[in-house]
Amino acid sequence: MALIDLSKREVHCKIVYCGPGRCGKTTNLLSVYESMAEKDRGKMLTIDTKGDRTLFFDLLPLNLGTIRGFNIRIQLYTVPGQTMYEATRKLVLKGVDGLVFVADPLKVRRQSNIESLDDLRRHLQDYGLKIEKMPLVIQYNKRDLADTPTPTLTIEELESDLNDTLKVKTFPASAIEGVGVFETLQEISKQTVRYVANKHLLADMK
Amino acid sequence: MRDFILTAGMIEKTRMAIENSLISAGVRTALLIDGAGNILSNCGKDSSDIDTISLAALAAANLGATSQIAKLIGEEDFSLLFHKGKTDNIHFGRIGSELILITIFREDVSLGLVRCRVSELAKTITEIFEDN
Ligand SMILES: Nc1nc2c(ncn2[C@@H]2O[C@H](COP(=O)(O)OP(=O)(O)OP(=O)(O)O)[C@@H](O)[C@H]2O)c(=O)[nH]1
Ligand SMILES: [Mg+2]
């Protein structure tokens, strides 16, 4: 949920990266972290299990400059994608203002993408939120694998699995190479700030 | 969960209430946060040395997790959330259903006093945020 501080003229929003285990959510945040100037980013907090799996969440606070005199502060979170961490995933989604769904193109992960999106929809519903009404973009990650022997899904297949009814903006990406990461962030930030502003600030931000 | 819109008046009233009750009793740092991990108020002497953004995110998640654990074993919630360290202790108190007050204090302040002041403050702070 957003926090609007009228005295400091700051807007704080929470954007959560979702998607199945190993789809590249943490890699997205690391890539954003590396590409942002030091003055615009806070400390990146990660809580890892063994190896690189997210146990609880990652957090990266960013300063995105000012819009109509308001300082825009964004907190990027990732959820743990693995199915067994459902309870913690739900906790991280508490108070979310905007969402990035990161899809994994590996053929073997086809069903996991669909289940993960259903799981997201269900958790949002429990918080009284409708996925169709939320700021949301989908990122088709790991596009670099398309040119390798690894069996991957085409963008068309992913579209029909995940975006057939939602019809949100999508971004091809290769988070590991930093490709498409910034475009994804830029679009979801824009949507999220607009969503929060429409709810509360129209009068104040003019 | 709702969004919070803070005005200068609310921030000032909250700060005064926390200063008069906790900080004057010797508590080093007091942080008022919401369930999403946003910081609403930050008082005390050490607060600039601490990574408060991470602390707020972890505390919100920690309290959320603790509530879920309570439900798993058939409890409504745990009334006391407190960690004791070698020098610093940390206490988490719920303020209404949406806010959390984190206090960090040392041996010179008793846990009983902190609990008592936090529950008094819960009323004051709830009123400040409900008026708006
Ligand atoms: N080839 C390729 N590999 C990627 C890409 N993005 C991430 N990976 C790899 O995928 C693996 C999982 O990435 P993470 O970012 O840890 O995945 P996650 O979504 O955070 O996973 P959980 O924390 O378990 O939910 C790592 O080995 C990454 O290096 C990409 O764009 N291309
Ligand atoms: Mg991760």
Side-chain angles (χ1 to χ4, degrees):
Chain A
M1 74 194 171
L3 174 73
I4 297 158
D5 187 331
L6 295 175
S7 84
K8 284 197 236 153
R9 295 187 75 79
E10 283 177 359
V11 179
H12 298 251
C13 308
K14 176 170 182 174
I15 294 176
V16 181
Y17 283 66
C18 305
R22 311 219 106 219
C23 66
K25 301 174 292 293
T26 301
T27 309
N28 260 274
L29 259 65
L30 285 169
S31 169
V32 171
Y33 179 82
E34 278 159 17
S35 66
M36 294 286 283
E38 213 157 307
K39 66 173 177 32
D40 295 328
R41 64 175 198 214
K43 263 198 203 132
M44 177 147 170
L45 172 71
T46 59
I47 310 172
D48 280 344
T49 38
K50 294 187 217 90
D52 57 0
R53 312 307 300 269
T54 303
L55 165 64
F56 212 147
F57 60 82
D58 307 300
L59 163 64
L60 174 60
L62 298 178
N63 192 347
L64 294 189
T66 56
I67 296 181
R68 288 186 246 176
F70 277 83
N71 237 308
I72 308 299
R73 292 177 188 270
I74 302 263
Q75 316 242 11
L76 300 184
Y77 281 80
T78 71
V79 297
Q82 294 180 84
T83 319
M84 64 178 171
Y85 294 135
E86 176 162 1
T88 46
R89 195 156 50 240
K90 183 169 176 186
L91 285 174
V92 177
L93 283 168
K94 192 170 183 179
V96 62
D97 300 300
L99 294 155
V100 176
F101 185 85
V102 180
D104 196 324
L106 295 182
K107 271 227 160 85
V108 293
R109 309 290 289 157
R110 187 164 196 172
Q111 202 49 38
S112 318
N113 286 323
I114 298 171
E115 279 164 17
S116 172
L117 192 60
D118 282 346
D119 167 282
L120 172 63
R121 187 187 296 270
R122 208 171 49 243
H123 291 318
L124 291 173
Q125 229 159 39
D126 289 348
Y127 287 127
L129 300 169
K130 275 212 169 71
I131 195 168
E132 293 80 11
K133 298 245 167 86
M134 299 281 301
L136 165 69
V137 303
I138 298 179
Q139 181 187 77
Y140 298 132
N141 192 26
K142 307 193 187 176
R143 288 327 297 165
D144 54 292
L145 294 180
D147 311 325
T148 68
T150 315
T152 52
L153 300 160
T154 62
I155 298 268
E156 291 70 34
E157 287 169 318
L158 288 160
E159 269 296 298
S160 94
D161 281 355
L162 307 170
N163 202 22
D164 206 30
T165 54
L166 287 173
K167 303 221 182 309
V168 297
K169 279 208 178 159
T170 60
F171 294 88
S174 169
I176 207 156
E177 298 169 321
V179 175
V181 169
F182 195 72
E183 290 77 359
T184 309
L185 172 64
Q186 203 171 26
E187 175 62 23
I188 192 58
S189 310
K190 201 172 79 188
Q191 285 189 26
T192 306
V193 171
R194 193 185 299 144
Y195 170 78
V196 171
N198 279 341
K199 265 200 293 185
H200 301 291
L201 287 174
L202 275 185
D204 298 297
M205 286 182 94
K206 274 181 185 146
Chain B
M1 261 180 114
R2 63 181 175 123
D3 297 331
F4 281 102
I5 302 187
L6 305 180
T7 61
M10 289 159 78
I11 292 172
E12 198 44 40
K13 272 193 222 163
T14 308
R15 162 173 292 279
M16 288 296 288
I18 294 175
E19 296 266 347
N20 290 337
S21 137
L22 289 169
I23 306 300
S24 68
V27 164
R28 301 181 72 84
T29 306
L31 210 58
L32 182 68
I33 66 171
D34 68 19
N38 289 308
I39 300 169
L40 280 70
S41 178
N42 182 348
C43 307
K45 51 178 167 253
D46 295 338
S47 56
S48 53
D49 304 339
I50 300 174
D51 176 4
T52 47
I53 295 178
S54 295
L55 176 61
L58 288 167
N62 186 21
L63 252 78
T66 310
S67 293
Q68 290 303 313
I69 292 171
K71 291 203 182 86
L72 288 180
I73 63 162
E75 286 286 326
E76 183 76 17
D77 204 346
F78 297 116
S79 62
L80 178 61
L81 270 169
F82 170 65
H83 299 302
K84 188 165 170 38
K86 277 209 187 77
T87 49
D88 287 297
N89 307 310
I90 188 161
H91 174 270
F92 305 89
R94 288 190 188 282
I95 308 286
S97 58
E98 292 186 292
L99 301 179
I100 299 160
L101 184 60
I102 308 169
T103 40
I104 301 170
F105 55 97
R106 298 200 165 158
E107 262 163 38
D108 52 341
V109 181
S110 78
L111 174 61
L113 180 70
V114 169
R115 292 188 74 186
C116 172
R117 293 276 159 96
V118 169
S119 71
E120 285 166 11
L121 265 175
K123 246 185 92 205
T124 320
I125 294 175
T126 311
E127 278 162 13
I128 296 173
F129 285 88
E130 268 170 8
D131 285 351
N132 285 271

